[in-house]
Every structure is written in C-alpha cells, then in structure tokens.
Amino acid sequence: MPDSLQIDQIAERVERLLVRYEELMRTNTLLNQQTDALTQERDSLKSRLGAARARVDALLERLPGEPGTSSVKPAFKTVSSRGDA
C-alpha cells in the first residue's frame, strides 16, 4: 500500500503542477497582449508628441524677435510707420 499512496501523492502533485502551468500560460498570454497594446500606445503617443513639437516649433518661428533687436518683422514696421503705436 505505501507504494500506491506515494504514487497517488505524486500524481496529485503532477496534476496541480499542470493546472498551475496552464494558469501561468494564460497569464503570460494576457501579459504579452498588454505589452503589445502598451507598445502601440507608446508609439502613437511618441508620434503625436513629435507632431506637437513640430507645430510648436513652427509657431515659435512665426513669433517676432525680442524687443530692441534689429530683426523686426515687416508687420511691425507697417504699424510704426503709420504712427498707430
């Protein structure tokens, strides 16, 4: 009888290990899916950030120079030449 008891215990442990293995495989699959989704989201956000930076850079280039500098845009010369300022 001791041999059959030991075999039963081993069989039970193997069954528990198989159940645990299947659980871990499902968890791993879900984690891989989450990683893929987060990677896509990160790439999308990086792309949007790059586009936003380009828009900000374009807006900054359109701003006039600081007061007192010689790089005044024509719009400022037009206003001051009319005497509106």
Side-chain angles (χ1 to χ4, degrees), residues 61-75:
E61 288 177 11
R62 292 174 50 191
L63 289 176
E66 292 186 25
T69 62
S70 61
S71 61
V72 177
K73 299 241 176 189

Side-chain angles (χ1 to χ4, degrees), residues 25-70:
M25 291 300 291
R26 283 193 302 272
T27 302
N28 188 37
T29 299
L30 291 173
L31 289 172
N32 283 329
Q33 291 171 350
Q34 287 179 346
T35 300
D36 292 343
L38 289 172
T39 299
Q40 290 175 353
E41 182 181 3
R42 181 207 59 201
D43 292 346
S44 174
L45 290 171
K46 285 173 72 176
S47 175
R48 289 174 55 194
L49 176 62
R53 280 185 176 156
R55 288 192 305 272
V56 168
D57 288 343
L59 289 171
L60 289 174
E61 288 177 11
R62 292 174 50 191
L63 289 176
E66 292 186 25
T69 62
S70 61

Side-chain angles (χ1 to χ4, degrees), residues 6-24:
Q6 189 176 13
I7 291 173
D8 289 343
Q9 289 175 342
I10 292 171
E12 183 181 326
R13 292 176 80 184
V14 169
E15 288 296 325
R16 284 189 306 213
L17 284 172
L18 287 173
V19 168
R20 183 67 178 144
Y21 172 77
E22 290 171 356
E23 290 172 355
L24 289 173

